[in-house]
PDB file of all heavy atoms in Angstrom:
ATOM      1  N   ILE G1257      -2.474  -8.897   3.311  1.00 75.00           N
ATOM      2  CA  ILE G1257      -1.528  -8.756   4.371  1.00 75.00           C
ATOM      3  C   ILE G1257      -1.214  -7.282   4.628  1.00 75.00           C
ATOM      4  O   ILE G1257      -0.843  -6.580   3.649  1.00 75.00           O
ATOM      5  CB  ILE G1257      -0.227  -9.541   4.089  1.00 75.00           C
ATOM      6  CG1 ILE G1257      -0.530 -11.012   3.855  1.00 75.00           C
ATOM      7  CG2 ILE G1257       0.857  -9.426   5.126  1.00 75.00           C
ATOM      8  CD1 ILE G1257       0.653 -11.830   3.384  1.00 75.00           C
ATOM      9  N   MET G1258      -1.370  -6.867   5.845  1.00 62.00           N
ATOM     10  CA  MET G1258      -1.116  -5.393   6.120  1.00 62.00           C
ATOM     11  C   MET G1258       0.354  -5.213   6.343  1.00 62.00           C
ATOM     12  O   MET G1258       0.955  -5.622   7.336  1.00 62.00           O
ATOM     13  CB  MET G1258      -1.924  -4.939   7.379  1.00 62.00           C
ATOM     14  CG  MET G1258      -3.414  -5.074   7.197  1.00 62.00           C
ATOM     15  SD  MET G1258      -3.973  -4.121   5.819  1.00 62.00           S
ATOM     16  CE  MET G1258      -5.706  -4.541   5.770  1.00 62.00           C
ATOM     17  N   ARG G1259       0.992  -4.604   5.333  1.00 57.00           N
ATOM     18  CA  ARG G1259       2.413  -4.372   5.405  1.00 57.00           C
ATOM     19  C   ARG G1259       2.730  -3.063   6.182  1.00 57.00           C
ATOM     20  O   ARG G1259       1.868  -2.226   6.350  1.00 57.00           O
ATOM     21  CB  ARG G1259       3.022  -4.298   4.018  1.00 57.00           C
ATOM     22  CG  ARG G1259       2.828  -5.646   3.262  1.00 57.00           C
ATOM     23  CD  ARG G1259       3.383  -5.520   1.865  1.00 57.00           C
ATOM     24  NE  ARG G1259       3.379  -6.845   1.112  1.00 57.00           N
ATOM     25  CZ  ARG G1259       2.285  -7.276   0.508  1.00 57.00           C
ATOM     26  NH1 ARG G1259       1.170  -6.571   0.476  1.00 57.00           N
ATOM     27  NH2 ARG G1259       2.278  -8.426  -0.087  1.00 57.00           N
ATOM     28  N   GLN G1260       3.977  -2.951   6.530  1.00 55.00           N
ATOM     29  CA  GLN G1260       4.517  -1.705   7.166  1.00 55.00           C
ATOM     30  C   GLN G1260       3.733  -1.394   8.523  1.00 55.00           C
ATOM     31  O   GLN G1260       3.433  -0.188   8.798  1.00 55.00           O
ATOM     32  CB  GLN G1260       4.492  -0.491   6.220  1.00 55.00           C
ATOM     33  CG  GLN G1260       5.384  -0.711   5.009  1.00 55.00           C
ATOM     34  CD  GLN G1260       5.263   0.401   4.028  1.00 55.00           C
ATOM     35  OE1 GLN G1260       4.333   1.225   4.072  1.00 55.00           O
ATOM     36  NE2 GLN G1260       6.200   0.510   3.101  1.00 55.00           N
ATOM     37  N   THR G1261       3.326  -2.406   9.141  1.00 59.00           N
ATOM     38  CA  THR G1261       2.606  -2.255  10.416  1.00 59.00           C
ATOM     39  C   THR G1261       3.551  -2.362  11.579  1.00 59.00           C
ATOM     40  O   THR G1261       4.675  -3.045  11.506  1.00 59.00           O
ATOM     41  CB  THR G1261       1.482  -3.226  10.606  1.00 59.00           C
ATOM     42  OG1 THR G1261       1.975  -4.533  10.326  1.00 59.00           O
ATOM     43  CG2 THR G1261       0.337  -2.920   9.572  1.00 59.00           C
ATOM     44  N   ASN G1262       3.259  -1.835  12.767  1.00 58.00           N
ATOM     45  CA  ASN G1262       4.077  -1.958  13.928  1.00 58.00           C
ATOM     46  C   ASN G1262       4.098  -3.342  14.508  1.00 58.00           C
ATOM     47  O   ASN G1262       3.049  -3.807  14.989  1.00 58.00           O
ATOM     48  CB  ASN G1262       3.551  -0.929  14.929  1.00 58.00           C
ATOM     49  CG  ASN G1262       4.371  -0.991  16.221  1.00 58.00           C
ATOM     50  OD1 ASN G1262       5.526  -1.474  16.255  1.00 58.00           O
ATOM     51  ND2 ASN G1262       3.769  -0.607  17.366  1.00 58.00           N
ATOM     52  N   LYS G1263       5.220  -4.010  14.485  1.00 60.00           N
ATOM     53  CA  LYS G1263       5.272  -5.348  15.121  1.00 60.00           C
ATOM     54  C   LYS G1263       6.333  -5.391  16.238  1.00 60.00           C
ATOM     55  O   LYS G1263       6.689  -6.480  16.723  1.00 60.00           O
ATOM     56  CB  LYS G1263       5.675  -6.318  14.017  1.00 60.00           C
ATOM     57  CG  LYS G1263       4.605  -6.488  12.906  1.00 60.00           C
ATOM     58  CD  LYS G1263       4.949  -7.561  11.838  1.00 60.00           C
ATOM     59  CE  LYS G1263       3.874  -7.758  10.868  1.00 60.00           C
ATOM     60  NZ  LYS G1263       4.281  -8.747   9.807  1.00 60.00           N
ATOM     61  N   LYS G1264       6.802  -4.207  16.661  1.00 62.00           N
ATOM     62  CA  LYS G1264       7.833  -4.199  17.729  1.00 62.00           C
ATOM     63  C   LYS G1264       7.322  -4.560  19.066  1.00 62.00           C
ATOM     64  O   LYS G1264       7.877  -5.254  19.824  1.00 62.00           O
ATOM     65  CB  LYS G1264       8.498  -2.789  17.766  1.00 62.00           C
ATOM     66  CG  LYS G1264       9.231  -2.452  16.519  1.00 62.00           C
ATOM     67  CD  LYS G1264       9.907  -1.017  16.582  1.00 62.00           C
ATOM     68  CE  LYS G1264      10.652  -0.638  15.311  1.00 62.00           C
ATOM     69  NZ  LYS G1264      11.241   0.665  15.424  1.00 62.00           N
ATOM     70  N   HIS G1265       6.043  -4.022  19.351  1.00 55.00           N
ATOM     71  CA  HIS G1265       5.477  -4.337  20.656  1.00 55.00           C
ATOM     72  C   HIS G1265       4.807  -5.714  20.618  1.00 55.00           C
ATOM     73  O   HIS G1265       4.154  -6.053  19.719  1.00 55.00           O
ATOM     74  CB  HIS G1265       4.415  -3.297  21.006  1.00 55.00           C
ATOM     75  CG  HIS G1265       4.147  -3.178  22.458  1.00 55.00           C
ATOM     76  ND1 HIS G1265       3.330  -4.125  23.094  1.00 55.00           N
ATOM     77  CD2 HIS G1265       4.496  -2.282  23.417  1.00 55.00           C
ATOM     78  CE1 HIS G1265       3.261  -3.833  24.354  1.00 55.00           C
ATOM     79  NE2 HIS G1265       3.932  -2.722  24.617  1.00 55.00           N
ATOM     80  N   ALA G1266       4.990  -6.468  21.722  1.00 54.00           N
ATOM     81  CA  ALA G1266       4.480  -7.826  21.823  1.00 54.00           C
ATOM     82  C   ALA G1266       2.922  -7.760  21.772  1.00 54.00           C
ATOM     83  O   ALA G1266       2.320  -8.732  21.385  1.00 54.00           O
ATOM     84  CB  ALA G1266       4.944  -8.427  23.069  1.00 54.00           C
ATOM     85  N   LYS G1267       2.295  -6.705  22.223  1.00 56.00           N
ATOM     86  CA  LYS G1267       0.844  -6.648  22.231  1.00 56.00           C
ATOM     87  C   LYS G1267       0.268  -5.865  21.067  1.00 56.00           C
ATOM     88  O   LYS G1267      -0.935  -5.531  21.036  1.00 56.00           O
ATOM     89  CB  LYS G1267       0.445  -5.914  23.527  1.00 56.00           C
ATOM     90  CG  LYS G1267       0.827  -6.684  24.806  1.00 56.00           C
ATOM     91  CD  LYS G1267       0.251  -8.146  24.832  1.00 56.00           C
ATOM     92  CE  LYS G1267       0.612  -8.840  26.117  1.00 56.00           C
ATOM     93  NZ  LYS G1267       0.124 -10.247  26.083  1.00 56.00           N
ATOM     94  N   SER G1268       1.112  -5.604  20.027  1.00 61.00           N
ATOM     95  CA  SER G1268       0.598  -4.835  18.880  1.00 61.00           C
ATOM     96  C   SER G1268      -0.449  -5.707  18.181  1.00 61.00           C
ATOM     97  O   SER G1268      -0.336  -6.963  18.049  1.00 61.00           O
ATOM     98  CB  SER G1268       1.793  -4.575  17.955  1.00 61.00           C
ATOM     99  OG  SER G1268       1.338  -4.157  16.674  1.00 61.00           O
ATOM    100  N   ALA G1269      -1.442  -5.068  17.585  1.00 60.00           N
ATOM    101  CA  ALA G1269      -2.549  -5.756  16.855  1.00 60.00           C
ATOM    102  C   ALA G1269      -1.981  -6.540  15.699  1.00 60.00           C
ATOM    103  O   ALA G1269      -2.568  -7.615  15.297  1.00 60.00           O
ATOM    104  CB  ALA G1269      -3.588  -4.810  16.451  1.00 60.00           C
ATOM    105  N   SER G1270      -0.920  -6.057  15.141  1.00 63.00           N
ATOM    106  CA  SER G1270      -0.337  -6.721  13.942  1.00 63.00           C
ATOM    107  C   SER G1270       0.339  -8.057  14.291  1.00 63.00           C
ATOM    108  O   SER G1270       0.707  -8.834  13.395  1.00 63.00           O
ATOM    109  CB  SER G1270       0.728  -5.823  13.241  1.00 63.00           C
ATOM    110  OG  SER G1270       1.711  -5.415  14.144  1.00 63.00           O
ATOM    111  N   ARG G1271       0.530  -8.332  15.626  1.00 66.00           N
ATOM    112  CA  ARG G1271       1.052  -9.595  16.040  1.00 66.00           C
ATOM    113  C   ARG G1271       0.012 -10.503  16.735  1.00 66.00           C
ATOM    114  O   ARG G1271       0.248 -11.624  17.166  1.00 66.00           O
ATOM    115  CB  ARG G1271       2.196  -9.412  17.017  1.00 66.00           C
ATOM    116  CG  ARG G1271       3.386  -8.663  16.445  1.00 66.00           C
ATOM    117  CD  ARG G1271       4.557  -8.427  17.417  1.00 66.00           C
ATOM    118  NE  ARG G1271       5.139  -9.664  17.841  1.00 66.00           N
ATOM    119  CZ  ARG G1271       6.150  -9.813  18.687  1.00 66.00           C
ATOM    120  NH1 ARG G1271       6.789  -8.655  19.056  1.00 66.00           N
ATOM    121  NH2 ARG G1271       6.641 -10.900  19.099  1.00 66.00           N
ATOM    122  N   CYS G1272      -1.198 -10.002  16.824  1.00 79.00           N
ATOM    123  CA  CYS G1272      -2.326 -10.732  17.399  1.00 79.00           C
ATOM    124  C   CYS G1272      -2.631 -11.967  16.488  1.00 79.00           C
ATOM    125  O   CYS G1272      -2.905 -11.756  15.332  1.00 79.00           O
ATOM    126  CB  CYS G1272      -3.545  -9.898  17.576  1.00 79.00           C
ATOM    127  SG  CYS G1272      -5.039 -10.802  18.115  1.00 79.00           S
ATOM    128  N   PRO G1273      -2.585 -13.200  17.012  1.00 77.00           N
ATOM    129  CA  PRO G1273      -2.864 -14.372  16.179  1.00 77.00           C
ATOM    130  C   PRO G1273      -4.299 -14.320  15.519  1.00 77.00           C
ATOM    131  O   PRO G1273      -4.444 -14.864  14.372  1.00 77.00           O
ATOM    132  CB  PRO G1273      -2.657 -15.545  17.061  1.00 77.00           C
ATOM    133  CG  PRO G1273      -2.750 -14.980  18.473  1.00 77.00           C
ATOM    134  CD  PRO G1273      -2.255 -13.557  18.393  1.00 77.00           C
ATOM    135  N   ALA G1274      -5.220 -13.762  16.197  1.00 81.00           N
ATOM    136  CA  ALA G1274      -6.614 -13.746  15.697  1.00 81.00           C
ATOM    137  C   ALA G1274      -6.645 -12.798  14.495  1.00 81.00           C
ATOM    138  O   ALA G1274      -7.296 -13.080  13.452  1.00 81.00           O
ATOM    139  CB  ALA G1274      -7.586 -13.271  16.737  1.00 81.00           C
ATOM    140  N   VAL G1275      -5.932 -11.626  14.565  1.00 80.00           N
ATOM    141  CA  VAL G1275      -5.878 -10.700  13.454  1.00 80.00           C
ATOM    142  C   VAL G1275      -5.158 -11.288  12.303  1.00 80.00           C
ATOM    143  O   VAL G1275      -5.575 -11.220  11.149  1.00 80.00           O
ATOM    144  CB  VAL G1275      -5.242  -9.398  13.930  1.00 80.00           C
ATOM    145  CG1 VAL G1275      -5.036  -8.432  12.755  1.00 80.00           C
ATOM    146  CG2 VAL G1275      -6.057  -8.624  14.977  1.00 80.00           C
ATOM    147  N   VAL G1276      -3.980 -11.896  12.497  1.00 79.00           N
ATOM    148  CA  VAL G1276      -3.185 -12.456  11.485  1.00 79.00           C
ATOM    149  C   VAL G1276      -3.936 -13.655  10.742  1.00 79.00           C
ATOM    150  O   VAL G1276      -3.935 -13.716   9.561  1.00 79.00           O
ATOM    151  CB  VAL G1276      -1.820 -13.050  12.029  1.00 79.00           C
ATOM    152  CG1 VAL G1276      -1.077 -13.849  10.976  1.00 79.00           C
ATOM    153  CG2 VAL G1276      -0.992 -11.891  12.596  1.00 79.00           C
ATOM    154  N   GLN G1277      -4.693 -14.456  11.557  1.00 82.00           N
ATOM    155  CA  GLN G1277      -5.437 -15.541  11.045  1.00 82.00           C
ATOM    156  C   GLN G1277      -6.574 -14.980  10.102  1.00 82.00           C
ATOM    157  O   GLN G1277      -6.866 -15.519   9.007  1.00 82.00           O
ATOM    158  CB  GLN G1277      -6.063 -16.324  12.146  1.00 82.00           C
ATOM    159  CG  GLN G1277      -6.966 -17.496  11.702  1.00 82.00           C
ATOM    160  CD  GLN G1277      -6.187 -18.700  11.235  1.00 82.00           C
ATOM    161  OE1 GLN G1277      -6.800 -19.529  10.577  1.00 82.00           O
ATOM    162  NE2 GLN G1277      -4.918 -18.828  11.607  1.00 82.00           N
ATOM    163  N   MET G1278      -7.276 -13.934  10.577  1.00 82.00           N
ATOM    164  CA  MET G1278      -8.337 -13.358   9.821  1.00 82.00           C
ATOM    165  C   MET G1278      -7.838 -12.831   8.476  1.00 82.00           C
ATOM    166  O   MET G1278      -8.381 -13.063   7.425  1.00 82.00           O
ATOM    167  CB  MET G1278      -9.086 -12.326  10.620  1.00 82.00           C
ATOM    168  CG  MET G1278     -10.329 -11.728   9.894  1.00 82.00           C
ATOM    169  SD  MET G1278     -10.002 -10.393   8.727  1.00 82.00           S
ATOM    170  CE  MET G1278      -9.454  -9.109   9.839  1.00 82.00           C
ATOM    171  N   GLU G1279      -6.748 -11.983   8.536  1.00 83.00           N
ATOM    172  CA  GLU G1279      -6.268 -11.323   7.343  1.00 83.00           C
ATOM    173  C   GLU G1279      -5.699 -12.317   6.342  1.00 83.00           C
ATOM    174  O   GLU G1279      -5.821 -12.072   5.152  1.00 83.00           O
ATOM    175  CB  GLU G1279      -5.140 -10.364   7.765  1.00 83.00           C
ATOM    176  CG  GLU G1279      -5.658  -9.070   8.471  1.00 83.00           C
ATOM    177  CD  GLU G1279      -4.600  -8.121   8.861  1.00 83.00           C
ATOM    178  OE1 GLU G1279      -3.385  -8.531   8.718  1.00 83.00           O
ATOM    179  OE2 GLU G1279      -4.895  -7.039   9.333  1.00 83.00           O
ATOM    180  N   SER G1280      -5.198 -13.405   6.817  1.00 84.00           N
ATOM    181  CA  SER G1280      -4.617 -14.406   5.947  1.00 84.00           C
ATOM    182  C   SER G1280      -5.683 -15.131   5.129  1.00 84.00           C
ATOM    183  O   SER G1280      -5.375 -15.805   4.064  1.00 84.00           O
ATOM    184  CB  SER G1280      -3.779 -15.419   6.690  1.00 84.00           C
ATOM    185  OG  SER G1280      -4.591 -16.291   7.406  1.00 84.00           O
ATOM    186  N   ARG G1281      -6.945 -14.994   5.542  1.00 88.00           N
ATOM    187  CA  ARG G1281      -8.020 -15.749   4.813  1.00 88.00           C
ATOM    188  C   ARG G1281      -8.816 -14.931   3.832  1.00 88.00           C
ATOM    189  O   ARG G1281      -9.791 -15.291   3.262  1.00 88.00           O
ATOM    190  CB  ARG G1281      -8.958 -16.379   5.869  1.00 88.00           C
ATOM    191  CG  ARG G1281      -8.244 -17.495   6.656  1.00 88.00           C
ATOM    192  CD  ARG G1281      -9.108 -18.138   7.681  1.00 88.00           C
ATOM    193  NE  ARG G1281      -8.408 -19.340   8.203  1.00 88.00           N
ATOM    194  CZ  ARG G1281      -8.498 -20.557   7.661  1.00 88.00           C
ATOM    195  NH1 ARG G1281      -9.191 -20.747   6.568  1.00 88.00           N
ATOM    196  NH2 ARG G1281      -7.852 -21.531   8.171  1.00 88.00           N
ATOM    197  N   TYR G1282      -8.379 -13.623   3.650  1.00 93.00           N
ATOM    198  CA  TYR G1282      -8.990 -12.799   2.649  1.00 93.00           C
ATOM    199  C   TYR G1282      -8.015 -12.502   1.456  1.00 93.00           C
ATOM    200  O   TYR G1282      -6.829 -12.357   1.737  1.00 93.00           O
ATOM    201  CB  TYR G1282      -9.435 -11.501   3.252  1.00 93.00           C
ATOM    202  CG  TYR G1282     -10.689 -11.591   4.122  1.00 93.00           C
ATOM    203  CD1 TYR G1282     -10.507 -11.782   5.487  1.00 93.00           C
ATOM    204  CD2 TYR G1282     -11.947 -11.520   3.625  1.00 93.00           C
ATOM    205  CE1 TYR G1282     -11.628 -11.924   6.357  1.00 93.00           C
ATOM    206  CE2 TYR G1282     -13.076 -11.647   4.384  1.00 93.00           C
ATOM    207  CZ  TYR G1282     -12.913 -11.808   5.761  1.00 93.00           C
ATOM    208  OH  TYR G1282     -13.978 -11.946   6.590  1.00 93.00           O
ATOM    209  N   PHE G1283      -8.546 -12.448   0.313  1.00 96.00           N
ATOM    210  CA  PHE G1283      -7.738 -12.210  -0.857  1.00 96.00           C
ATOM    211  C   PHE G1283      -8.256 -10.956  -1.494  1.00 96.00           C
ATOM    212  O   PHE G1283      -9.495 -10.787  -1.540  1.00 96.00           O
ATOM    213  CB  PHE G1283      -7.669 -13.407  -1.881  1.00 96.00           C
ATOM    214  CG  PHE G1283      -6.986 -14.638  -1.299  1.00 96.00           C
ATOM    215  CD1 PHE G1283      -7.600 -15.483  -0.430  1.00 96.00           C
ATOM    216  CD2 PHE G1283      -5.653 -14.826  -1.652  1.00 96.00           C
ATOM    217  CE1 PHE G1283      -6.947 -16.579   0.079  1.00 96.00           C
ATOM    218  CE2 PHE G1283      -4.949 -15.899  -1.184  1.00 96.00           C
ATOM    219  CZ  PHE G1283      -5.625 -16.777  -0.328  1.00 96.00           C
TER     220      PHE G1283
END
C-alpha cells in the first residue's frame, strides 16, 4: 500500500480503482 500519497484530487492516481486493486494484490 503506497502511503503518504496525494488523495485530495479526484483524478489522482492514488484514488484510481485500477491502481488500488493492483496494489492490494501484491505483498
Side-chain angles (χ1 to χ4, degrees):
I1257 300 175
M1258 297 303 175
R1259 297 178 175 83
Q1260 298 177 343
T1261 53
N1262 176 25
K1263 296 183 179 180
K1264 295 180 180 179
H1265 198 286
K1267 300 300 182 182
S1268 170
S1270 57
R1271 296 181 64 176
C1272 172
V1275 173
V1276 173
Q1277 177 77 197
M1278 185 277 291
E1279 290 181 351
S1280 71
R1281 291 182 173 272
Y1282 286 94
F1283 292 82

